[in-house]
Amino acid sequence: MFSLFTRKASSVPAESVQATPKKISFEDYLAITEVDYSIVGHSRIEDMPMSEFVAMMSSHKFLGDPLVRTQHLLGASKYERVSDTEVIGHHQIRAAHQRYTGPDRLTVENRGHGHSFIKHWYRKVDGVWKLSGLCPQVYWNEHNFEKIFVELKAEH
């Protein structure tokens, strides 16, 4: 469902090395520390363990809803080296969402596409770069975005 990219530490500066794609398990992905999804109905959480992040994102009220399909496309990306162990990634993103009327996904009930920017914080842990925080900023939505995550909206 989800694949991340890691890079082993080296003596070459981070900005001059291309990352080598390597799939890792969520069990290896323990560095989440700050999540701010308040823009889509969740609260800002300053210290969130990986297991809680995965549970939140895959919840039936959010991306785990069987009636919802999404595709997130990254556009321009820029990385800012803060220190030898911290990097901030700035990413342009377009997220297409469709909500279907039933589990057969034959009829689209609503579309909602977001145009946004997302900031990712990365931290080197035991020589491996890991995601340590994220915060999206939505510039605008198309169609009926507010009708995609209906159960999430009902709580807020």
Side-chain angles (χ1 to χ4, degrees):
M1 172 173 122
F2 195 81
S3 143
L4 301 170
F5 296 95
T6 63
R7 181 175 63 220
K8 286 282 186 194
S10 80
S11 59
V12 180
E15 63 271 6
S16 65
V17 177
Q18 283 192 330
T20 303
K22 178 185 174 191
K23 289 185 179 183
I24 64 172
S25 70
F26 277 118
E27 289 76 23
D28 294 333
Y29 185 60
L30 302 173
I32 296 282
T33 58
E34 183 174 331
V35 175
D36 185 351
Y37 260 111
S38 56
I39 196 91
V40 290
H42 285 288
S43 59
R44 182 175 183 268
I45 303 163
E46 291 195 27
D47 190 14
M48 175 180 262
M50 172 274 311
S51 60
E52 289 179 27
F53 176 74
V54 172
M56 177 184 81
M57 297 302 289
S58 60
S59 162
H60 73 279
K61 297 176 183 179
F62 203 30
L63 297 178
D65 184 332
L67 301 180
V68 173
R69 289 291 180 257
T70 70
Q71 181 182 43
H72 292 66
L73 303 173
L74 289 178
S77 290
K78 176 180 138 185
Y79 295 90
E80 173 186 349
R81 185 177 180 168
V82 177
S83 71
D84 288 343
T85 59
E86 294 179 78
V87 172
I88 300 172
H90 306 269
H91 309 286
Q92 177 188 35
I93 190 166
R94 180 179 188 274
H97 303 79
Q98 290 191 160
R99 178 169 197 81
Y100 293 87
T101 58
D104 59 4
R105 295 188 301 272
L106 295 175
T107 306
V108 175
E109 181 177 43
N110 281 298
R111 287 181 175 82
H113 308 320
H115 299 266
S116 60
F117 164 86
I118 190 163
K119 186 184 285 190
H120 284 162
W121 288 270
Y122 303 96
R123 185 175 300 141
K124 193 184 294 183
V125 178
D126 296 327
V128 177
W129 286 103
K130 297 188 177 189
L131 184 65
S132 65
L134 55 97
C135 180
Q137 177 184 351
V138 176
Y139 293 125
W140 77 89
N141 288 319
E142 294 178 283
H143 308 294
N144 298 313
F145 187 83
E146 69 282 357
K147 294 182 180 179
I148 299 298
F149 302 109
V150 294
E151 289 188 54
L152 183 66
K153 272 296 202 201
E155 288 185 352
H156 295 68

